[in-house]
Amino acid sequence: MKKNNEDEIEIGLIPEFDEADKENFAKSYIHSVVFSVEQYKTMAVVSLLALGIGAAVGIVEVAFGKGLELVTNARHAHTVLFTSALAIVGLVIAFLYKYLGKEASKGMALVFQAADNKEKIPPVLVPLVMVSSWLTHLCGGSAGREGVAVQIGATVADQAGYRLQKFGIFKNTRDTFVICGIAAGFAGLFQTPFAAIFFSLEVLVCGELKYKSLFPAAIAAFTSYYIAGKFGIHAEKVSIAVQVLSVPLLCKLLVLGLIFGVAGAFFASTLRRTKKFLEKVFPDPIIKTFVMGAILSLAFMALHSGRYSGFGTEITMAALTGGQVYDYDWILKLLLTILTLSAGFMGGELTPIFSIGSSLGAVIAVFFGLPPRYVAALGYSAMFGSATNTFLAPILIGAEIFGTQNLPSIVVVCAVSFFFNFDKTVYGSQKKLNA
């Protein structure tokens, strides 16, 4: 019998553990359990801190959002006066960044580097980016606000994460703090908490969801969302008629997804190339911003007297509510946004992308025999995903802004758009999982 057992052991039928193996297994198991418990304890405490981060970011976002409302209203009241001063404002912004916050000029790149534990985001970035964005919008630059919102949130959160890690507390959680800041900044200003949560989880690395940060990011997002909402920051909700999925509609959605994917890739790729080109043409950022500001002033005034200035919200709402949309609105908004951001003016890409995607959708809807408002809503969501190389966030923002009744259509178009963006993104520091 013994021989048979030995034979069976030799061919691997009956495993044998000696006392040392058993002891090592027990130690390994206990270590694994202890490590898991420690991880949960760390995330529990970080989640409590996320509550404070969300509250702090929410308050700052209220100040930033209210400031944007004031400067936008001032520009609308005196369009010619303020738009003609864009070049002067460009000088001010360039001087501020050159002499007060040279590191802060990296903008969103700092957010990605901080999450990678490579850089610390300087606190001066918050007032610099807020003031520069206010000035940009006051004088008609075609820019958004999400870049600023995310930078504000990430800076506030990273200051906490960096200090705790510096003193040996909560090691390897720096990225979680940054993610909490991104989620809080996005949710506070856009009032779309679910999209904010998943945007923060997927934007740092395309193809990877940082689920370890899900719970604290959700707490930070909803806290900021609640506080900002209480102080009057709100999102424009639009009801879109339901379109029942069918085989002909599905075929049309596939083509629409392809169009929005290519458009988003074109925007992201052209933005990056234009930035590099203008840096070569104007090595001095002060001269670059001044010259481009003067050119942009003339362009904004010549093209429908400021129609393409600022966020582009008027174009977006016209596309989504059946208002006046010109065939060329989307391309002019795209080009002027690229020039504004490449010139050194501050803001973000996302709100103009909403305008570009929705106006493009409203224009091409006629070729597909579909309601313009419906296709505009699809473009609003899908171009967000194709330009930022994200998938879940654009689906969720579509559901939060337009309701869930057309969620199947949004999912299909966003999926195809994400596939056909050719891995392009407006965020140059975004990593790729398969890279």
Side-chain angles (χ1 to χ4, degrees), residues 78-164:
H78 306 283
T79 302
V80 176
L81 173 65
F82 285 116
T83 305
S84 62
L86 188 59
I88 304 301
V89 159
L91 281 178
V92 174
I93 293 172
F95 270 108
L96 286 174
Y97 273 90
K98 184 172 183 177
Y99 295 107
L100 294 181
K102 194 170 183 179
E103 281 299 308
S105 63
K106 294 180 182 178
M108 281 296 295
L110 274 176
V111 175
F112 287 86
Q113 290 169 3
D116 232 6
N117 209 17
K118 293 179 179 178
E119 291 280 354
K120 181 180 73 169
I121 307 177
V124 72
L125 182 145
V126 173
L128 271 180
V129 77
M130 287 174 67
V131 170
S132 299
S133 184
W134 287 334
L135 291 174
T136 297
H137 284 281
L138 176 65
C139 295
S142 179
R145 52 187 174 172
E146 111 289 338
V148 179
V150 167
Q151 289 177 56
I152 291 170
T155 303
V156 173
D158 185 56
Q159 286 298 309
Y162 175 78
R163 282 172 168 74
L164 290 170

Side-chain angles (χ1 to χ4, degrees), residues 28 256 266 328 393:
S28 175
L256 286 170
F266 175 74
Y328 48 80

Side-chain angles (χ1 to χ4, degrees), residues 312-346:
T313 306
E314 294 85 357
I315 298 174
T316 304
M317 294 310 296
L320 294 171
T321 58
Q324 176 67 62
V325 176
Y326 299 112
D327 292 345
Y328 48 80
D329 273 344
W330 71 275
I331 190 64
L332 288 180
K333 185 63 179 174
L334 183 148
L335 295 174
L336 290 169
T337 300
I338 287 172
L339 290 175
T340 298
L341 297 176
S342 300
F345 293 95
M346 293 297 153

Side-chain angles (χ1 to χ4, degrees), residues 65-82:
K66 293 296 183 182
L68 285 176
E69 289 179 11
L70 289 173
V71 298
T72 300
N73 290 337
R75 187 187 76 244
H76 285 159
H78 306 283
T79 302
V80 176
L81 173 65
F82 285 116

